[in-house]
Amino acid sequence: MPVQHTSNELMVSLVRAGHLATFEELPALVAKKADFAGLSQARFYLADHQQQVLREVTGEGDDARRGGRDLPVDGSPAGQAYVTGVTVREEREGRYWVPILEGAERLGVLHVCFPGDPDRSAMRDLASLVGLLVIAKRSNSDAYARLIRTKPMSVSAEMQWTLMPPGTFADARVTISAATEPAYDNAGDSFDYALVGDTAHLAIFDAMGHDNAAGLIANLAVGAFRNERRKGTPLSHIHQGVEGTLIQEFVRTRFATAILAELNLVTGEMNWVNCGHLPPILIRGGQVRELECEPSHPLGMDLGLPVTVCCEPLQPGDRLLLYTDGIIEARDSLGHEFGVDRFADFIIRHQVDNMPVPETLRRLMHAVLGYHHDRLNDDATVLFCEWHG
């Protein structure tokens, strides 16, 4: 029997060994180091793009999962840990499923066995470190990219997933989360967010078309938006830089609608501009209100319409929804739209049930897909922001 190491020793040893490891080498490395801490049979599972299954990472094969299992997110102990963010103990003695998180971003679950009185702190520490290692290794791993997709992906969607920020961020002041469908054929929807000092930058884009050109437009729009804000361009002028970039490449033949916003994380003041897009939705308690703002023209059209910077003072607990038309225009078999009311009510009900924000959006996307017979005619994206005050 090997001598058991403390949790701290395990963490230090795993970090050092992980520096030069590849993504494919992580399963064996994690299992070996966990054994020394008394956490046997350690293995981890990562969620696919649509968060329907948890896929075991074995390190074998070109997708690093040969010989592994797929576990459903809905209806399994592993899925329960993923959905709730809480460690789940199976009925069988000593088997645990621990959520793997990077901040507020859900990555997957860790399986460990621990006989007797469990050291839950060591389990959580190991899961946290696995999350850090996955984040560090995934960006240069094709095996990871193959692992988390369950079917072929279009070129446009490939570009979008590479560009978009993590699906969820949270700190003491704000929670930001986003989701998009279809995961494998997304053409022109994209979102972006970032924090600097006391400001959260938010944006959502819906590019014209359903082809690779739409993906190029969305990528250009996000890149130009980031470039302008990082240069310190004020919100009232950011659209000019984005539009100039699109016109330079597409000469007024293609466009993107957008909401560009800034949230003061100290005061709760939100400023935004509407470039031909659907208005944001504000949820305050159980009340829903569309935030009206005089829209300008879509980015890339150069119609010369004025741009109005609108302002809304948020209250602690207010939730803001930016979305594209695919969310509300999904139709059932009778042709009835999913609609704004159903959309907002879905968010409210799941928040009342204390569902984590990313879980609420996961269920929303599945509901929208189910409403439209699992095949959308248009991309559907939602960006959620809650100011905690």
Side-chain angles (χ1 to χ4, degrees), residues 15-73:
V15 167
R16 289 174 176 169
H19 281 312
L20 297 179
T22 65
F23 176 76
E24 293 91 329
E25 292 170 333
L26 292 184
L29 180 61
V30 169
K32 177 181 177 181
K33 298 299 181 181
D35 273 338
F36 284 108
L39 301 174
S40 63
Q41 300 181 44
R43 53 186 183 268
F44 62 95
Y45 298 69
L46 300 179
D48 73 301
H49 273 300
Q50 292 179 305
Q51 301 176 79
Q52 294 179 333
V53 295
L54 295 161
R55 320 198 83 178
E56 184 177 358
V57 186
T58 64
E60 301 295 328
D62 60 6
D63 58 1
R65 58 178 291 269
R66 188 172 62 207
R69 295 189 298 164
D70 283 359
L71 303 176
V73 169

Side-chain angles (χ1 to χ4, degrees), residues 269-289:
E269 180 179 286
M270 189 190 78
N271 295 292
W272 79 99
V273 298
N274 185 334
C275 299
H277 200 79
L278 295 166
I281 292 175
L282 177 66
I283 300 175
R284 178 169 294 162
Q287 302 300 310
V288 178
R289 177 163 58 95

Side-chain angles (χ1 to χ4, degrees), residues 255-279:
F255 62 84
T257 67
I259 296 287
L260 312 177
E262 292 179 356
L263 173 62
N264 186 309
L265 297 175
V266 175
T267 67
E269 180 179 286
M270 189 190 78
N271 295 292
W272 79 99
V273 298
N274 185 334
C275 299
H277 200 79
L278 295 166

Side-chain angles (χ1 to χ4, degrees), residues 9-173:
E9 290 173 332
L10 165 66
M11 297 304 110
V12 171
S13 176
L14 187 53
V15 167
R16 289 174 176 169
H19 281 312
L20 297 179
T22 65
F23 176 76
E24 293 91 329
E25 292 170 333
L26 292 184
L29 180 61
V30 169
K32 177 181 177 181
K33 298 299 181 181
D35 273 338
F36 284 108
L39 301 174
S40 63
Q41 300 181 44
R43 53 186 183 268
F44 62 95
Y45 298 69
L46 300 179
D48 73 301
H49 273 300
Q50 292 179 305
Q51 301 176 79
Q52 294 179 333
V53 295
L54 295 161
R55 320 198 83 178
E56 184 177 358
V57 186
T58 64
E60 301 295 328
D62 60 6
D63 58 1
R65 58 178 291 269
R66 188 172 62 207
R69 295 189 298 164
D70 283 359
L71 303 176
V73 169
D74 296 313
S76 70
Q80 183 182 352
Y82 179 81
V83 165
T84 62
V86 177
T87 298
V88 172
R89 180 179 182 271
E90 278 200 45
E91 291 183 2
R92 282 177 287 179
E93 185 67 26
R95 292 167 58 91
Y96 296 86
W97 297 96
V98 190
I100 298 175
L101 305 170
E102 169 51 24
E105 183 186 3
R106 305 186 301 179
L107 300 174
V109 293
L110 170 72
H111 169 274
V112 293
C113 289
F114 197 98
D117 190 25
D119 186 347
R120 291 179 179 266
S121 177
M123 295 179 192
R124 290 193 297 267
D125 289 345
L126 178 59
S128 295
L129 196 50
V130 171
L132 289 173
L133 289 172
V134 169
I135 292 293
K137 307 300 178 181
R138 68 182 180 180
S139 62
N140 59 9
S141 171
D142 274 354
Y144 171 85
R146 293 186 177 113
L147 174 88
I148 64 170
R149 59 185 68 178
T150 59
K151 59 183 180 180
M153 181 174 287
S154 69
V155 172
S156 180
E158 192 88 55
M159 291 189 295
Q160 299 296 78
W161 282 111
T162 301
L163 184 68
M164 288 186 289
T168 303
F169 168 84
D171 65 9
R173 301 176 296 178

Side-chain angles (χ1 to χ4, degrees), residues 152-349:
M153 181 174 287
S154 69
V155 172
S156 180
E158 192 88 55
M159 291 189 295
Q160 299 296 78
W161 282 111
T162 301
L163 184 68
M164 288 186 289
T168 303
F169 168 84
D171 65 9
R173 301 176 296 178
V174 68
T175 295
I176 301 170
S177 191
T180 188
E181 284 285 356
Y184 297 96
D185 297 302
N186 176 37
D189 276 14
S190 195
F191 65 86
D192 196 29
Y193 67 84
L195 276 70
V196 55
D198 293 327
T199 301
H201 297 276
L202 309 168
I204 193 163
F205 301 91
D206 186 355
M208 167 191 173
H210 302 282
D211 52 9
N212 287 335
L216 288 172
I217 295 167
N219 274 257
L220 274 174
V222 171
F225 173 65
R226 291 176 179 175
N227 184 254
E228 291 298 324
R229 72 169 192 253
R230 290 169 182 171
K231 289 191 298 187
T233 304
L235 179 62
S236 57
H237 291 80
I238 285 180
H239 71 283
Q240 295 175 352
V242 178
E243 180 158 77
T245 299
L246 295 184
I247 290 173
Q248 182 179 355
E249 297 299 325
F250 292 97
V251 196
R252 301 178 184 83
T253 59
R254 306 292 289 257
F255 62 84
T257 67
I259 296 287
L260 312 177
E262 292 179 356
L263 173 62
N264 186 309
L265 297 175
V266 175
T267 67
E269 180 179 286
M270 189 190 78
N271 295 292
W272 79 99
V273 298
N274 185 334
C275 299
H277 200 79
L278 295 166
I281 292 175
L282 177 66
I283 300 175
R284 178 169 294 162
Q287 302 300 310
V288 178
R289 177 163 58 95
E290 289 189 342
L291 299 181
E292 296 297 337
C293 182
E294 187 67 29
S296 184
H297 57 264
L299 297 168
M301 295 302 291
D302 193 25
L303 299 179
L305 297 179
V307 171
T308 303
V309 178
C310 295
C311 179
E312 179 72 24
L314 300 188
Q315 298 178 7
D318 278 357
R319 287 154 288 173
L320 179 73
L321 300 174
L322 310 181
Y323 63 100
T324 62
D325 52 11
I327 291 283
I328 61 172
E329 292 179 357
R331 296 178 182 271
D332 65 11
S333 57
L334 298 177
H336 300 143
E337 287 191 345
F338 194 79
V340 172
D341 291 341
R342 194 189 311 268
F343 169 37
D345 181 65
F346 190 99
I347 299 293
I348 292 171
R349 285 189 289 106

